[in-house]
C-alpha cells in the first residue's frame, strides 16, 4: 500500500484511489481483500487519532460480500461424536477421550487441552469448571470454562492424575477418528 502511493501524504489519499488499489488485483480472494481493507482501515484510524488525516477513505470503499461459511459442513454429527467417544473409551484411548470431552463440551481449544493437567479440571466444586491459567490459554488470559452435566459424567469416569494428554497425543488423535469411523474433519471439534 505504501509503495503504491509512494510519497503521497496519508491525509490526501482518496477513497477512489484506495478502491482502485484494492480492486486492481484479480488474484486476491474475497477473504484476502477483506483482510487488507481491515488492516489499512486500522492504519487510517491511527492517522486520524494522531491528526495526520481527517477521514478514513476505506469507509467509502466498496466491501466485498463475505463468502459463505463452510464451518457448517465441518460440524460433527451427534452420531459421530458418540461413535468417537465410545470407541476412545472402550479401546485404550482414555486420555484422548478426556481431551475430546473438554474440547467438544467444555469449550477448551485443541491446542489448550495439551497444556492441562487433571488438577485444572475442578470436578468436585459446587459448579465444576476447567481452570485455565494465563500460560495455558491461547489469549494469555486466565479463564474458567463451565463443565456441563454430560461432560461431568464423562470426566468423572475418565479422571486420572497428571497431564490430560499423553506425550504422543497428536499422533494418536490423528488415527482415532479413522479407527472409530467417526468422520472428524480438521477443526470440526473446535467448530462444534
Amino acid at each position: 500500500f505504501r509503495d503504491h502511493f509512494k510519497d503521497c501524504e496519508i491525509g490526501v489519499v482518496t477513497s477512489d484511489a484506495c478502491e482502485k488499489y484494492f480492486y486492481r488485483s484479480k488474484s486476491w480472494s474475497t477473504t484476502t481483500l477483506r483482510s487488507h481493507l481491515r488492516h489499512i482501515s486500522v492504519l487510517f484510524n491511527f492517522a486520524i487519532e494522531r491528526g495526520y488525516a481527517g477521514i478514513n477513505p476505506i469507509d467509502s470503499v466498496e466491501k466485498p460480500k463475505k463468502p459463505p461459511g463452510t464451518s457448517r459442513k465441518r460440524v460433527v454429527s451427534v452420531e459421530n461424536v458418540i461413535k468417537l467417544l465410545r470407541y476412545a473409551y472402550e479401546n485404550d484411548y482414555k486420555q484422548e477421550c478426556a481431551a475430546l470431552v473438554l474440547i467438544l463440551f467444555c469449550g477448551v481449544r485443541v491446542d489448550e487441552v495439551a497444556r492441562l493437567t487433571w488438577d485444572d479440571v475442578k470436578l468436585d466444586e459446587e459448579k465444576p469448571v476447567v481452570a485455565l491459567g494465563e500460560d495455558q490459554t491461547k489469549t494469555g488470559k486466565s479463564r474458567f470454562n463451565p463443565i456441563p452435566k454430560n461432560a461431568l459424567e464423562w470426566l468423572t469416569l475418565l479422571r486420572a492424575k497428571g497431564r490430560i494428554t499423553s506425550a504422543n497425543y497428536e499422533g494418536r488423535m490423528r488415527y482415532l477418528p479413522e479407527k472409530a469411523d467417526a468422520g472428524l474433519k480438521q477443526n470440526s471439534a473446535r467448530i462444534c
Side-chain angles (χ1 to χ4, degrees):
F1 189 82
R2 180 201 65 207
D3 293 345
H4 179 79
F5 286 98
K6 298 202 185 336
D7 295 325
C8 184
E9 289 184 21
I10 197 165
V12 297
V13 176
T14 66
S15 294
D16 287 341
C18 288
E19 194 153 329
K20 286 177 185 160
Y21 166 77
F22 284 110
Y23 286 98
R24 80 191 192 294
S25 176
K26 302 295 181 205
S27 64
W28 284 359
S29 70
T30 301
T31 302
T32 300
L33 182 56
R34 289 173 59 87
S35 178
H36 278 59
L37 283 163
R38 193 171 47 255
H39 285 99
I40 299 300
S41 181
V42 169
L43 171 70
F44 276 104
N45 286 337
F46 171 79
I48 291 168
E49 281 180 24
R50 293 294 172 107
Y52 304 138
I55 62 162
N56 185 338
I58 303 302
D59 291 345
S60 300
V61 172
E62 183 180 340
K63 312 297 186 290
K65 298 276 187 256
K66 189 174 182 180
T70 59
S71 61
R72 231 187 183 131
K73 296 174 187 167
R74 292 183 289 176
V75 171
V76 184
S77 69
V78 172
E79 294 80 19
N80 280 341
V81 169
I82 292 168
K83 279 181 11 182
L84 185 63
L85 293 176
R86 185 172 290 147
Y87 183 90
Y89 184 73
E90 294 172 356
N91 291 280
D92 197 33
Y93 282 90
K94 290 201 171 40
Q95 287 179 296
E96 292 77 14
C97 188
L100 283 165
V101 168
L102 291 168
I103 293 165
L104 290 165
F105 303 130
C106 302
V108 176
R109 292 181 174 97
V110 173
D111 58 317
E112 293 171 342
V113 79
R115 296 189 283 267
L116 292 176
T117 67
W118 280 100
D119 290 337
D120 301 315
V121 181
K122 312 294 185 188
L123 299 176
D124 299 321
E125 305 289 319
E126 185 178 325
K127 291 185 178 182
V129 295
V130 181
L132 294 111
E134 295 173 351
D135 56 332
Q136 295 168 313
T137 65
K138 176 182 175 182
T139 60
K141 294 179 183 174
S142 298
R143 71 172 194 274
F144 297 91
N145 290 14
I147 299 175
K149 189 176 181 210
N150 60 343
L152 183 61
E153 291 177 27
W154 276 103
L155 294 170
T156 301
L157 283 172
L158 296 162
R159 188 187 315 214
K161 293 193 182 298
R163 301 190 63 75
I164 299 288
T165 60
S166 62
N168 56 351
Y169 163 71
E170 287 184 23
R172 288 175 59 91
M173 283 300 288
R174 272 193 286 269
Y175 296 108
L176 177 59
E178 187 179 314
K179 287 184 174 188
D181 190 29
L184 188 73
K185 296 181 175 88
Q186 183 181 6
N187 286 330
S188 57
R190 179 178 62 85
I191 291 165
C192 291

